[in-house]
Amino acid sequence: MSEKHLTYADSGVDISKEEKTVKTLIEKLSYVRKGIGAPLTGIGHYAGLLDFGEYALALTTDGVGSKVLIANEMKRWNTVGIDCIAMNVNDLLAIGAEPVAFVDYLAVEKHDESFAAQIGEGLVKGAEISRISIVGGETATLPGIIKGFDLAGTCLGIVRKDQIIEGGKVSVGDVIVGIPSSGVHSNGYTLVRKIIEESSYSYHDPCPYDSSKTIGDELLTPTRIYIEILDVLKACEVHGLAHITGSGLLKLRRVTKLGFDFYDPLEPQEIFKFLQKEGVVKDLEMYRTFNMGMGFLIILPEKDATKAIEITGGKIVGKIVESGIRVKDLVIE
């Protein structure tokens, strides 16, 4: 095992460069519609919001990412459809919107009916969990561009304007309820693959901590869909919500400029400990790349925390402070 400390940038994904690319792109998107359908927010939150009378329509788009390469290696594609829907639905939930409909985009190198059936199996499972309809999509055959396949989608949600959760009500002293992830979810897989490929393990080897499944199967565990957030919104006074995805806790800046003190974080699952050990990845890099066991966060007054915990199975992991992002003694930002 190499003693080099692997990073997300080493594996090919430089978050700072990605942010500059996104900023450059957004600067060119100057035209906005007026009247019905006009944007209610700028670009950069978890979802885009459009004026629709007393309601706002919410739109998200996302994909499975390089997790699909592990599905190809294992020749098991029946879970990545769940991931595709989860990544979109969870972003809608993070602004308080109820997901209602979905369209997918499947790009393939070549056609295979058994492969397509497995993709459909995952998509319908994700739709059932999310209580949404898949109303269409696009399949593209791109042998000159795609090697294998890529899967992405767009989800539509709806929320009353007075119930949008953007983080404006987050206050110092609010508590943070962390909800467990199901594992790595669908982010950071470029680093995951780099770690496995440079280790003595293969995706087909048994998990060192659970010989009943392979490393590949563990890494294909589908992203958890946090649809129970809708029940929390009905029962509690919620000030902020966060879906922890790519770049880990750094995306909390979408919610508030205030600080986050995670003094009692959820314990990361064994898969994170395995990856960190094999890649000799520093703690800071882990929390800046992966969800580290906390897939979704609810920010709310302490008086409502018990109810939120009952609904979600989470726990209080921290509190809102004046500035910074800290996990115990580890300074994230």
Side-chain angles (χ1 to χ4, degrees):
M1 182 177 67
S2 171
E3 285 303 309
K4 178 184 178 183
H5 295 283
L6 285 179
T7 68
Y8 208 8
D10 289 337
S11 66
V13 179
D14 189 318
I15 294 296
S16 62
K17 289 183 178 179
E18 184 175 293
E19 288 175 349
K20 290 177 183 177
T21 298
V22 172
K23 181 180 179 183
T24 301
L25 176 60
I26 290 174
E27 287 172 351
K28 297 297 181 182
L29 305 180
S30 58
Y31 175 79
V32 293
R33 178 186 171 94
K34 306 296 183 183
I36 196 75
L40 296 174
T41 58
I43 298 172
H45 214 295
Y46 284 105
L49 295 169
L50 306 176
D51 186 1
F52 205 67
E54 63 181 304
Y55 288 88
L57 298 180
L59 283 171
T60 59
T61 190
D62 208 340
V64 183
S66 63
K67 188 173 185 176
V68 300
L69 296 175
I70 299 177
N72 284 341
E73 175 65 27
M74 302 303 293
K75 300 191 183 306
R76 184 162 73 80
W77 302 284
N78 64 342
T79 59
V80 291
I82 301 174
D83 291 306
C84 187
I85 287 182
M87 295 304 293
N88 285 280
V89 165
N90 289 340
D91 276 359
L92 285 179
L93 294 169
I95 52 94
E98 178 175 359
V100 294
F102 188 85
V103 293
D104 68 276
Y105 173 75
L106 176 64
V108 297
E109 181 181 8
K110 59 183 179 180
H111 289 281
D112 182 313
E113 290 183 13
S114 62
F115 158 79
Q118 289 194 46
I119 295 293
E121 180 184 336
L123 287 171
V124 75
K125 181 65 174 177
E128 289 172 356
I129 297 170
S130 306
R131 304 195 291 270
I132 60 174
S133 301
I134 299 176
V135 296
E138 168 70 4
T139 301
T141 310
L142 303 169
I145 300 173
I146 297 293
K147 299 302 178 186
F149 77 102
D150 188 29
L151 179 63
T154 297
C155 200
L156 174 70
I158 190 165
V159 57
R160 289 183 62 92
K161 285 180 179 175
D162 59 358
Q163 294 175 358
I164 295 169
I165 307 292
E166 290 186 271
K169 294 182 179 179
V170 173
S171 303
V172 171
D174 282 349
V175 300
I176 307 166
V177 172
I179 312 175
S181 64
S182 57
V184 183
H185 283 182
S186 300
N187 296 101
Y189 274 81
T190 301
L191 178 54
V192 167
R193 292 184 298 105
K194 181 81 168 176
I195 291 170
I196 299 300
E197 289 162 12
E198 293 194 1
S199 75
S200 60
Y201 292 94
S202 82
Y203 296 114
H204 301 277
D205 288 334
C207 270
Y209 52 86
D210 184 355
S211 61
S212 69
K213 53 187 172 183
T214 66
I215 292 171
D217 288 333
E218 175 78 329
L219 291 170
L220 287 178
T221 300
T223 305
R224 178 172 172 176
I225 296 173
Y226 296 94
I227 198 67
E228 66 271 25
I229 292 299
L230 295 177
D231 297 322
V232 174
L233 292 171
K234 293 174 183 176
C236 304
E237 178 189 337
V238 176
H239 290 172
L241 298 163
H243 178 206
I244 308 304
T245 59
S247 68
L249 297 176
L250 292 176
K251 284 201 177 149
L252 292 174
R253 284 290 160 251
R254 290 179 171 183
V255 180
T256 180
K257 299 298 184 184
L258 293 172
F260 295 77
D261 179 10
F262 295 98
Y263 56 79
D264 189 21
L266 294 172
E267 181 73 13
Q269 291 94 335
E270 290 297 323
I271 186 62
F272 294 110
K273 299 173 185 178
F274 167 72
L275 291 169
Q276 182 170 19
K277 178 182 177 183
E278 289 302 313
V280 199
V281 184
K282 293 182 177 179
D283 288 345
L284 182 60
E285 188 70 14
M286 293 294 291
Y287 276 98
R288 284 183 166 182
T289 305
F290 301 113
N291 66 64
M292 295 302 283
M294 295 191 298
F296 208 97
L297 302 176
I298 307 169
I299 304 165
L300 73 178
E302 188 172 5
K303 65 181 178 62
D304 285 333
T306 299
K307 188 64 177 178
I309 290 167
E310 288 174 357
I311 294 171
T312 63
K315 75 164 191 172
I316 294 177
V317 295
K319 63 182 179 181
I320 299 298
V321 293
E322 290 289 348
S323 62
I325 302 174
R326 180 186 296 271
V327 180
K328 293 186 176 179
D329 294 328
L330 183 66
V331 177
I332 308 298
E333 184 189 76

